[in-house]
């Protein structure tokens, strides 16, 4: 069983992020309705759902891209409304999207500090502190257990799993308290997915609160401490690791009772056979049968 590391999470401390009955509307379209979620230090909260379930909208609210229309959004016990993604970063919320926001032709160290480059010198002699960035990138990656061949190589030459790991290490280095990961294993093979999940667990063990967005219940159950299931913008379930098995999580993710109803319906169709089906419109429009006089 995966146990949450209690580092930085004293008894009675408020959750790093807590959403209570949060809703979001786009005109008459309901994107989210009464969704609740809690992220604590040293825990991984997995948000599962099919396409269109509302996962992307939930990410954008936590990341400060969109404001919620109803409910409460608390950061370390303080109710807040994030004005923009910069405000989320200032409050310690880092989001790693599927596209990773990297520049493929730039070296790893440059992508590691992209937008936050340290400089040295003054006035017209001010310049990037390249040696500091190289050294820091190598040190921080090693601290997360990531041993790259060369931090000067273009980040586009890394595998998908390695790029995800660099993005996670970057968020940890810049002081993130909450790490939101958008489908980090979606386009990866089995081995690379395992590598990424290893570093997700490492971020949890470092005391971060992690929100893992995924549609893969096997990956979620492997590292998750809490599970929130979304369906068409509403909550279909909320569980702790101790209260749900992988089989039940997979069943609920796949549709639960709806899947059972579909199975029964398919069985009835199979038992009735093709002879019980009515004539198709094409049969009705095929004209008179041989030997029958036309009207």
């Amino acid at each position: 069983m995966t146990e949450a590391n209690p580092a930085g999470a004293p008894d009675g401390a408020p959750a790093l992020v807590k959403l209570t009955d949060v809703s979001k509307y786009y005109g008459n379209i309901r994107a989210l309705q009464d969704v609740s979620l809690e992220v604590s230090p040293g825990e991984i909260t997995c948000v599962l759902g099919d396409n269109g379930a509302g996962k992307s909208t939930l990410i954008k609210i936590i990341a400060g891209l969109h404001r919620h229309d109803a409910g409460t959004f608390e950061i370390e016990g303080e109710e807040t409304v994030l004005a923009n993604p910069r405000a989320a970063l200032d409050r310690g919320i880092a989001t790693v999207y599927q596209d990773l926001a990297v520049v493929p032709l730039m070296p790893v160290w440059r992508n590691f500090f992209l937008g936050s480059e340290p400089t040295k010198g003054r006035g017209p002699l001010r310049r990037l502190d390249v040696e500091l960035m190289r050294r820091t990138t190598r040190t921080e990656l090693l601290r997360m257990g990531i041993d790259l061949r060369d931090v000067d190589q273009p980040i586009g030459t890394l595998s998908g799993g390695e790029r995800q790991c660099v993005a996670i290490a970057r968020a940890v280095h810049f002081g993130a308290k909450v790490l939101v990961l958008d489908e980090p294993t979606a386009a990866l093979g089995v081995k690379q997915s395992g590598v990424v999940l290893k570093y997700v667990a490492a971020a949890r063990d470092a005391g971060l609160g992690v929100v893992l967005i995924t549609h893969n219940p096997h990956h979620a159950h492997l590292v998750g401490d809490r599970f929130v299931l979304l369906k068409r913008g509403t909550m279909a379930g909320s569980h702790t690791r101790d209260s749900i098995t992988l089989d039940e999580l997979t069943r609920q993710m796949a549709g639960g009772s709806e899947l059972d109803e579909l199975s029964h319906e398919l069985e009835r169709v199979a038992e009735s056979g093709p002879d019980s089906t009515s004539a198709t419109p094409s049969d009705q429009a095929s004209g008179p049968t041989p030997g029958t006089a036309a009207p």
Side-chain angles (χ1 to χ4, degrees), residues 103-290:
V103 182
L105 296 180
M106 283 186 176
V108 173
W109 61 264
R110 187 66 189 273
N111 275 280
F112 193 91
F113 282 92
L114 196 61
S116 303
E117 295 86 348
T119 58
K120 59 182 179 180
R122 295 183 178 181
L125 298 179
R126 188 177 182 186
R127 60 199 183 279
L128 294 178
D129 194 341
V130 175
E131 288 306 315
L132 174 62
M133 287 190 281
R134 283 197 181 107
R135 184 171 62 253
T136 302
T137 299
R138 187 176 294 109
T139 300
E140 290 300 311
L141 291 178
L142 283 173
R143 191 166 69 88
M144 289 287 291
I146 306 168
D147 187 10
L148 290 184
R149 297 175 293 277
D150 183 9
V151 295
D152 284 302
Q153 68 187 102
I155 199 169
T157 63
L158 302 182
S159 68
E162 288 174 325
R163 289 197 298 270
Q164 285 281 356
C165 296
V166 170
I168 293 171
R170 178 175 63 185
V172 173
H173 171 71
F174 283 103
K177 297 178 182 178
V178 177
L179 183 61
V180 184
L181 302 171
D182 178 20
E183 300 274 10
T185 61
L188 304 181
V190 175
K191 185 176 181 179
Q192 288 192 16
S193 295
V195 171
V196 171
L197 292 175
K198 172 185 172 183
Y199 295 121
V200 171
R204 183 229 13 238
D205 294 340
L208 277 71
V210 181
V211 180
L212 177 63
I213 311 295
T214 182
H215 63 271
N216 191 318
H218 291 80
H219 292 170
H221 201 268
L222 198 61
V223 297
D225 299 293
R226 300 172 185 265
F227 308 99
V228 174
L229 287 90
L230 297 182
K231 178 181 177 183
R232 298 176 186 172
T234 62
M235 289 187 65
S238 180
H239 310 278
T240 62
R241 183 181 177 85
D242 295 333
S243 65
I244 191 168
T245 64
L246 173 58
D247 289 342
E248 180 60 21
L249 185 65
T250 303
R251 179 179 176 277
Q252 291 192 22
M253 175 71 186
S257 59
E258 291 185 1
L259 197 63
D260 293 338
E261 292 176 4
L262 176 61
S263 177
H264 294 321
E265 180 66 25
L266 292 175
E267 289 176 2
R268 285 197 296 270
V269 171
E271 291 172 357
S272 62
D275 294 338
S276 62
T277 58
S278 59
T280 62
S282 59
D283 294 334
Q284 297 172 359
S286 60
T289 58

